[in-house]
């Protein structure tokens, strides 16, 4: 034995052992990757064999037996057996494993050909139980091979189970044209993970195909078998569904047709008529149950060109027009009226007749007899057309719209009961000086009151910013002519000057304030019927006053306030001034009078709001009077009918007595 060991040592000295060690390390890295990963997870243990290095105790330690070995020692022995297997000689397996571990360490450090750091001490003898130890090494090698085979088999089976799960999930199975049970690698037999230790065989625990004691196949991972359909199956199912839908539609249409063909009773022009439920209003007209005909097609001179060529009759259900193509309803009375005639296509030229002004009591007009001389009916233009027919070529003159004059009348201040309305008005502005328009605006804003400002055209043209402030504050803007001097008083000047004074003031004030001032207060109240007819449509109202505070005489703020509070009544129009001088007394009087008026229940409004309230009250009273008149007329008719019935009854009785 020493000679053989010496020969091995001499081969190492010659360099052959280093080459063999490199080949063994490379082969081992490729063949046992699982053991390499395990060595990375678990650190190397420096297990010293007492048989090789000597120990106080003889033989293998107790932990080396199969019964008491630990996991760490088992890993070391598996590595040794694998190293011995690839070394080619089991006698030197332990030394080869030691060299392999050293080569792994050197390889990680970048030096594969370095000699071991801690060379193994030389041995001079071998233990007597070397044969027995070599047998144990071979057994462990066989165990490692069996474990590797089981792991490879388990990986392959796991891939098959994953493939089976994917096939079950997406419902596709290769080579299948009809729905059938999904089969996998474990559908026929049960899988026992412990079977890897027995050669990797699957054990059928039930003895019946399926592996579940006759309960049918079970898929991998505990999944139940699924039924999957391919394209042909989907088309087949879709065909059945389509046939069912078509059959259902046919049944619905048949039932609907039977229902619409069934008769029902309808009220037509007050008579009960039996008609099919599916009858339309047009069909009702065609059947003659409704006595209505379409209009005719006529020429521009009203000559009939085609009977029935005009508009269709209009059918009503409970007084409301309906669509002729809709089905008739049994929820009310059905009536109709003849269609209108339709004129042939034509070209036309129009002639417009302007609106004229009609003044109430023009011959006896007196501006001071009222306060609100306003337009109550705006009237309308007259339109006359000369038409030329495109079909017949005939020409005719047709009056399309009659001219209606606008009506100006004196409104009496008939305020609705329970409403106490008062209008504050200011003349001669705008006045930008101290104690002028701005001071009055501040007092009105203090009490949240809106008023009407009658501005001079010349003042608004000179002070447009102040005029704009009045409009922006929400007050009503009106005019006070343009010049405001005696030679231009509207009842003392020419018609041309009347038009200039009213028209120019409306234009200038409107441009300055961004409004359309339709009302005017004649300077000094000087206007007559002639001036109103001359102005025509340049003004929609001529506003006077019912309370003159004489504030322009500067009587003092107490006097001005006392005048307002003593003479006020519902519908009053108060005259004051914001221009023409210092109006501090007027502003102070307002600050005194406004809160007292509000305490008495008065609402301060603009002229336009006052006019609308009076017109609304008059319209309501007229409607009430018309209603009372109609009720009286109906009552008289019923009385006359009753008397007629009584007379006829008396005549019958008399005839019977005579007989």
């Amino acid at each position: 034995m020493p000679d053989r060991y010496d020969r091995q040592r001499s081969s190492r000295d010659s360099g052959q052992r280093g080459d063999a060690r490199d080949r063994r390390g490379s082969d081992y890295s490729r063949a046992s990757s699982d053991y390499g990963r395990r060595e990375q997870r678990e650190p190397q243990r420096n297990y010293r064999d007492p048989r090789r290095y000597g120990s106080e105790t003889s033989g293998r330690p107790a932990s080396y037996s199969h019964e008491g070995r630990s996991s760490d020692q088992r890993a070391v022995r598996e590595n040794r057996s694998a190293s011995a297997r690839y070394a080619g000689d089991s006698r030197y397996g332990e030394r080869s494993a030691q060299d392999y571990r050293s080569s792994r360490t050197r390889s990680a450090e970048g030096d594969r050909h370095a000699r071991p750091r801690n060379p193994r001490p030389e041995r001079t003898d071998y233990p007597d139980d070397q044969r027995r130890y070599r047998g144990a090494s071979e057994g462990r090698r066989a165990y490692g091979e069996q474990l590797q085979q089981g792991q490879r088999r388990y990986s392959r089976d796991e891939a098959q189970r994953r493939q089976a799960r994917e096939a079950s999930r997406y419902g596709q199975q290769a080579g299948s044209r009809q729905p059938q049970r999904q089969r996998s690698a474990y559908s026929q037999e049960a899988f026992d993970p412990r079977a890897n230790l027995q050669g990797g065989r699957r054990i059928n625990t039930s003895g019946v195909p399926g592996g579940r004691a006759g309960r049918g196949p079970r898929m991998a991972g505990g999944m139940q078998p699924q039924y999957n359909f391919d394209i042909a199956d989907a088309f087949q199912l879709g065909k059945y569904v389509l046939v069912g839908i078509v059959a259902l539609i046919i049944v619905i249409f048949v039932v609907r047709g039977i229902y619409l063909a069934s008769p029902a009773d309808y009220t037509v022009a007050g008579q009960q008529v039996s008609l099919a439920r599916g009858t339309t209003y047009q069909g009702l007209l065609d059947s003659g149950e409704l006595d209505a005909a379409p209009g005719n097609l006529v020429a521009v001179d009203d000559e009939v060109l085609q009977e029935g060529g005009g508009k269709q009759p209009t059918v009503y259900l409970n007084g409301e027009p309906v669509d002729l193509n809709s089905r008739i309803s049994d929820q009310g009375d059905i009536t109709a009226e003849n269609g209108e005639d339709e004129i042939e296509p034509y070209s036309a030229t129009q002639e417009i007749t302007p609106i004229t002004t009609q003044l109430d009591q023009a011959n006896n007009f007196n501006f001071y007899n009222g306060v609100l001389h306003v337009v109550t009916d705006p009237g309308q233009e007259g339109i006359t057309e000369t038409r030329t027919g495109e079909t017949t070529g005939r020409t005719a003159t047709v009056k399309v719209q009659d001219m209606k004059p606008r009506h100006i009348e004196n409104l009496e201040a008939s305020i609705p009961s329970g409403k106490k309305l008062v209008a504050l008005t200011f003349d001669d502005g705008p006045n930008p000086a101290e104690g002028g328009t701005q001071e009055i605006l501040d007092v009105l804003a203090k009490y949240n009151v809106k008023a009407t400002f009658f501005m001079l055209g010349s003042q608004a043209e000179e002070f447009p910013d102040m005029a704009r402030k009045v409009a922006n504050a929400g007050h009503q803007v009106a005019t006070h002519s343009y010049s405001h001097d005696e030679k231009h008083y509207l009842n003392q000047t020419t018609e041309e000057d009347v038009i200039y004074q009213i028209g120019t003031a409306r234009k200038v004030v409107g441009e300055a304030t961004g409004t359309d001032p339709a009302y005017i207060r004649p300077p000094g109240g000087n206007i007559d019927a002639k001036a109103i007819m001359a102005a025509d449509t340049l003004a929609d109202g001529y506003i006077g006053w019912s309370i003159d505070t004489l504030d322009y005489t500067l009587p003092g703020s107490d006097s001005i306030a006392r005048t307002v509070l003593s003479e006020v009544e519902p519908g009053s129009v108060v005259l004051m001034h914001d221009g023409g001088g210092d109006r501090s007394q007027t502003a102070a009087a307002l600050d005194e009078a406004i809160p007292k008026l509000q305490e008495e229940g008065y609402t301060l409004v603009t002229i336009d709001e006052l006019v609308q309230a009076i017109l609304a009250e008059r319209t309501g009273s007229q409607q009430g009077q018309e209603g009372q008149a109609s009720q009286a007329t109906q009552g008289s008719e019923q009385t006359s009918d009753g008397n007629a019935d009584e007379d006829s009854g008396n005549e019958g009785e008399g005839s019977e007595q005579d007989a």
Side-chain angles (χ1 to χ4, degrees), residues 247-443:
L248 180 60
I249 293 175
I250 293 174
V251 170
I252 291 174
F253 272 93
V254 170
V255 173
R256 182 174 179 271
I258 295 173
Y259 172 78
L260 295 179
S262 61
D265 293 335
Y266 299 92
T267 303
V268 179
Q271 303 293 328
Q272 291 294 324
V273 180
S274 179
L275 298 170
R277 298 180 187 272
T279 305
T280 62
Y281 291 102
Q282 183 64 51
L284 186 61
L285 289 173
D286 297 339
S287 65
E289 297 292 344
L290 278 176
D291 187 12
N296 299 323
L297 178 63
V298 298
V300 293
D301 57 356
D302 293 337
E303 181 181 352
V304 178
L305 300 179
Q306 178 183 354
E307 293 185 358
K311 296 182 180 180
Q312 292 296 320
T314 303
V315 180
Y316 300 91
L317 176 63
N318 296 329
E320 297 293 333
V322 296
D323 184 8
L324 296 181
N325 295 323
S326 60
R327 294 200 305 270
I328 58 178
S329 173
D330 58 354
Q331 301 300 319
D333 187 18
I334 302 173
T335 57
E337 63 180 17
N338 293 331
E340 298 179 356
D341 292 341
E342 191 170 0
I343 304 175
E344 65 171 321
Y346 62 88
S347 59
T349 58
Q350 289 187 345
E351 181 181 354
I352 305 298
T353 304
I355 300 174
T356 60
T357 300
Q358 180 179 351
L359 181 61
D360 188 20
Q361 298 178 354
N363 297 329
N364 300 319
F365 177 78
N366 186 350
F367 181 77
Y368 293 100
N369 288 339
V371 177
L372 305 174
H373 306 274
V374 298
V375 174
T376 57
D377 186 356
Q380 67 178 12
E381 296 177 337
I383 301 176
T384 302
E385 286 186 350
T386 301
R387 300 174 178 175
T388 302
E390 296 180 359
T391 303
T392 61
R394 301 175 185 176
T395 302
T397 301
V398 180
K399 183 175 290 187
V400 178
Q401 179 176 289
D402 293 332
M403 190 276 296
K404 291 184 180 180
R406 64 181 199 146
H407 188 65
I408 297 178
E409 63 176 301
N410 178 21
L411 286 182
E412 296 181 359
S414 55
I415 305 300
S417 59
K419 292 185 177 181
K420 302 172 69 174
L421 305 179
V422 175
L424 299 179
T425 63
F426 302 90
D427 290 0
D428 299 342
N431 179 15
E434 185 177 357
T437 304
Q438 185 60 53
E439 189 171 349
I440 292 176
L441 289 175
D442 294 339
V443 176

Side-chain angles (χ1 to χ4, degrees), residues 508-635:
V508 171
V509 173
E511 291 176 351
T513 60
T515 62
D516 183 19
Y519 290 159
I520 182 174
R521 173 171 283 167
N526 296 288
I527 195 169
D528 55 10
K530 182 180 178 181
I532 292 176
M533 299 301 292
D536 199 8
T537 59
L538 293 177
D540 292 342
Y542 301 86
I543 310 301
W545 59 88
S546 59
I547 299 176
D548 188 357
T549 61
L550 301 176
D551 60 337
Y552 58 92
T553 63
L554 303 179
S557 60
D558 293 339
S559 176
I560 298 173
R562 186 166 51 253
T563 301
V564 173
L565 295 174
S566 61
E567 298 181 13
V568 69
E569 62 181 3
S572 296
V573 178
V574 182
L575 171 61
M576 290 180 284
H577 296 79
D578 66 320
D582 184 5
R583 300 307 176 196
S584 300
Q585 293 183 6
T586 303
L590 286 173
D591 198 10
E592 180 182 350
I594 289 176
K596 293 182 179 180
L597 290 174
Q598 292 177 341
E599 290 178 359
E600 295 178 6
Y602 283 97
T603 302
L604 303 178
V605 297
T606 63
I607 291 296
D608 192 44
E609 292 173 342
L610 182 61
V611 170
Q612 296 300 325
I614 295 174
L615 291 177
E617 176 66 15
R618 189 172 71 171
T619 302
S621 61
Q622 289 178 353
Q623 291 178 352
Q625 293 175 1
E626 291 176 358
Q628 292 177 359
S630 63
Q631 291 178 0
T633 303
Q634 292 177 359

